Amino acid sequence: MSNKLRSHGKSVVVWVLLAMLILGLGGFGMTNFGGRTTAIGSVGETEIPVNDYARALRDEMNAATAQIGRPFTITEAKQMGLDRQVQGRMFGQAAVSEAARKIGLSVGDAEIHRQITQARAFQGLDGKFDRETYRLALRQEGYTEVQFEERLRADAARSIMQTAVAAGVKAPAGVVDAYATYLTEERTISYAEITGADLTETVPEPTEETLRAWHQDHAADFTRPELREISYVWLSPEMMAEKVTLDEAALQAAYEARKDDYVQPEKRMVEKLVYPTTEEAAAAKARLDAGEVSFADLAAERGLTLDDIDLGEPAQEDLGPAGEAVFALETPGVVGPIDTDLGPALFSMNAIIAEQNTTFEEAREELSAEARMDRARRLIDEASADLEDRLAGGATLEQMADETDMELGHISLAPDTDEGLAGYEAFRDAAATVTAEDFPELGSLDDGGVFALRLDGITPAALFPFEEVRDRVIDSWRAAETAKLKLARAETIKAAVEGGATLGSQGVLVNTVGALQRSSFIENVPATLVDTAFDTAPGKAAIVEGDGKVVVVKVDGVHAADSAAEEVAQIRELLEVRLAQSVANDLLDFYARAAQAEAGMTIDSTAINAVQAQMQ
């Protein structure tokens, strides 16, 4: 489905801004892109700001970085078309915003006030809306209050327009039925793994010539990887810890500095839901007490999730006028309405966190360990300048080990070596790129340690001599030959079964599953067996290979699930929701395309290129 309008139903402007503030991803100021360019294009009179495009593209790249575990470059993003996907989504949103603008759709000041005052990033240390925090946050992102509130108002109007376009969309009953039938179908199967005991032939003894040929033909299986011979010196906090002398007064001071960690008042896990009037809050509480809705339902009615209204784990004094009522609850429950700075509110208490009172003596061992390691890291940091100077002056690794606290070692580093110092990514990266001409330099480890290394030589990848790996060659050849015989036996059994014989009549151990579902898991069989069973026609058999095993599976029967069963009803309900959302997204996409075509679209390629150039 199209992702043009993936932000349907959310106040995107506010949450994107807050994410930038929290993650520190700002910095795409207007002047960064030169000249007067402020937009990458427009639909009608609705512009797409340069900063918004930069942030949206950066968000997608950060998500890709988290997924692949390394920095995701703008070059890769362009190769994958990620930049065009972001542009398509933003122009689609702009088209809907333009349609809302044309018909004069807007929201009132009260809704804008609610969204701003309930945003956590605009709250002070007391959890209440703080105007100075609000102004600072906007200033850091290059917005005036008027600009931001206009953007927020436009975003809310677009959300209303999207809701109106997609409201009431239902998934076609026939499609739901088809999917439900497919997903809830069950099968009865029988299967048998072909083992060595089931073979009618035996693997012959290999000749020397056969084994030597196998060794050459499968050289990759018997090749030693390239080894980088690395000499190194290193100094870790653990090595320095024994040199640390602890000061009792310093430990006591550390305890006092961290007393809030060791001595904590009783707390509660609390959520807070604010209403415009006391009457509305009281009516909501009455429905809650009657069991008609949950607290999550009430939050959803106000366009919020439980995460949006979560206050964390406050102490009684943190809750102001609500503290006494909330802490009077001895079991989870809801109190209110209670007047707050933002208006009357309901408070949901979900758990009681007992007070904590850890004495200095009880915390001493932990404090000592932390203080010892912290001091060791500082000693290493203080020594780093001297260590760097020695290396820059031409000291060898051996001299460093003799004259400093660093320890000398050697490692034959293969691509998969991860023991000892090779367990540190910084060391592996340095060892993988060092050349024989490089002089040792001081590197840092993520635990506060330091190291330096030298490449002594490279042992090229090489085929192990046949005599050294003869036993491995025999095992490999036998495994391959046995697999061939198992597959041939499986083919014979499959043909017999499809000819009318039972699986059990073939002299193999048969297992049965009476109610196999697509989500079922069967132990000790290839992972593809379940999928294969659902791709095989009733009465037919199939062969599944994997994990060194060969299995014959036969489908004995196909059974439609009981439509009255609770599990089936839940699946059907979920399908209705998901398919309706999919149809709604398609409808929104079509609407956006139509609105885009009607209003006209302009694209500033120079501005787009400028944004992407900043991400090189």
Side-chain angles (χ1 to χ4, degrees), residues 96 98 121 164 170 250 257 311 388 526 529 585:
V96 179
E98 175 66 8
K170 293 184 179 180
L311 297 183
E388 287 178 333
L529 186 143
N585 286 339

Side-chain angles (χ1 to χ4, degrees), residues 102-170:
K102 281 186 174 181
I103 65 174
L105 184 62
S106 185
V107 295
D109 293 339
E111 174 62 16
I112 300 302
H113 177 270
R114 183 190 69 79
Q115 291 194 27
I116 292 174
T117 55
Q118 289 190 4
R120 287 194 181 181
F122 301 149
Q123 295 175 357
L125 296 176
D126 59 357
K128 301 175 182 177
F129 175 73
D130 183 84
R131 179 160 289 280
E132 285 306 312
T133 301
Y134 175 56
R135 288 173 177 166
L136 176 62
L138 297 189
R139 187 162 60 249
Q140 288 176 335
E141 290 301 311
Y143 286 110
T144 66
E145 289 187 48
V146 172
Q147 288 173 332
F148 178 71
E149 289 165 16
E150 286 178 352
R151 293 290 310 283
L152 187 58
R153 195 184 305 276
D155 186 66
R158 174 167 55 81
S159 180
I160 293 172
M161 176 67 84
Q162 291 177 179
T163 301
V165 170
V169 173
K170 293 184 179 180

Side-chain angles (χ1 to χ4, degrees), residues 286-612:
R287 293 169 60 207
L288 189 69
D289 293 341
E292 298 175 5
V293 292
S294 66
F295 204 70
D297 294 333
L298 293 178
E301 289 175 358
R302 300 193 60 71
L304 302 168
T305 68
L306 292 180
D307 287 340
D308 297 331
I309 60 175
D310 183 15
L311 297 183
E313 302 171 358
Q316 181 170 342
E317 61 186 25
D318 298 328
L319 293 173
E324 183 176 353
V326 171
F327 274 72
L329 294 172
E330 297 182 356
T331 58
V334 177
V335 297
I338 297 173
D339 287 332
T340 70
D341 291 345
L342 297 177
L346 302 181
F347 291 81
S348 175
M349 191 278 285
N350 302 310
I352 297 174
I353 302 173
E355 67 177 352
Q356 178 180 327
N357 190 3
T358 303
T359 66
F360 171 70
E361 289 304 323
E362 292 171 333
R364 192 180 191 285
E365 183 177 351
E366 178 184 344
L367 288 169
S368 296
E370 292 179 0
R372 194 179 299 277
M373 293 301 292
D374 184 59
R375 178 57 180 156
R377 282 188 284 269
R378 288 203 301 273
L379 288 175
I380 293 174
D381 185 58
E382 292 167 3
S384 291
D386 175 62
L387 298 176
E388 287 178 333
D389 289 343
R390 289 173 181 267
L391 289 169
T396 65
L397 300 186
E398 290 75 14
Q399 290 171 331
M400 295 292 288
D402 290 339
E403 299 170 5
T404 72
D405 291 317
M406 302 187 85
E407 293 184 3
L408 181 67
H410 180 87
I411 187 171
S412 296
L413 192 72
D416 59 350
T417 304
D418 60 1
E419 299 175 355
L421 188 53
Y424 292 89
E425 183 177 0
F427 176 81
R428 291 197 307 274
D429 290 345
T433 56
V434 65
T435 68
E437 291 74 29
D438 293 335
F439 291 100
E441 297 181 350
L442 198 68
S444 299
L445 302 172
D446 55 18
D447 64 354
V450 292
F451 71 95
L453 56 81
R454 177 184 67 222
L455 178 65
D456 295 330
I458 296 178
T459 303
L463 180 66
F464 285 109
F466 173 76
E467 289 73 16
E468 288 186 23
V469 293
R470 190 176 192 280
D471 290 343
R472 285 174 53 193
V473 173
I474 292 174
D475 291 342
S476 174
W477 181 84
R478 284 190 183 281
E481 290 300 307
T482 300
K484 289 180 183 178
L485 293 179
K486 287 181 179 179
L487 185 58
R489 177 78 169 116
E491 292 286 0
T492 300
I493 293 174
K494 175 178 179 291
V497 169
E498 292 189 340
T502 63
L503 191 57
S505 68
Q506 300 304 299
V508 290
L509 179 62
V510 178
N511 299 276
T512 61
V513 179
L516 185 72
Q517 299 178 334
R518 294 182 187 274
S519 59
S520 296
F521 171 77
I522 305 175
E523 292 186 13
N524 301 318
V525 299
T528 57
L529 186 143
V530 174
D531 288 341
T532 300
F534 277 91
D535 290 337
T536 303
K540 297 293 184 179
I543 298 172
V544 184
E545 297 180 78
D547 303 326
K549 298 181 178 182
V550 177
V551 179
V552 178
V553 58
K554 177 177 180 293
V555 178
D556 299 315
V558 177
H559 319 287
D562 180 7
S563 60
E566 181 179 356
E567 180 182 358
V568 175
Q570 291 175 346
I571 292 175
R572 184 182 178 82
E573 182 179 346
L574 179 61
L575 281 170
E576 288 178 340
V577 172
R578 293 290 176 84
L579 289 172
Q581 289 174 344
S582 179
V583 173
N585 286 339
D586 283 348
L587 184 60
L588 284 168
D589 184 43
F590 294 144
Y591 180 80
R593 291 175 185 273
Q596 201 173 84
E598 180 181 350
M601 181 177 72
T602 61
I603 300 177
D604 189 335
S605 298
T606 301
I608 291 174
N609 292 336
V611 171
Q612 296 174 357

Side-chain angles (χ1 to χ4, degrees), residues 195-217:
T195 67
D198 301 317
L199 298 179
T200 56
E201 301 178 55
T202 58
V203 177
E205 286 299 318
T207 66
E208 192 74 4
E209 182 182 358
T210 297
L211 292 177
R212 288 185 178 276
W214 187 265
H215 175 250
Q216 291 296 323
D217 293 342

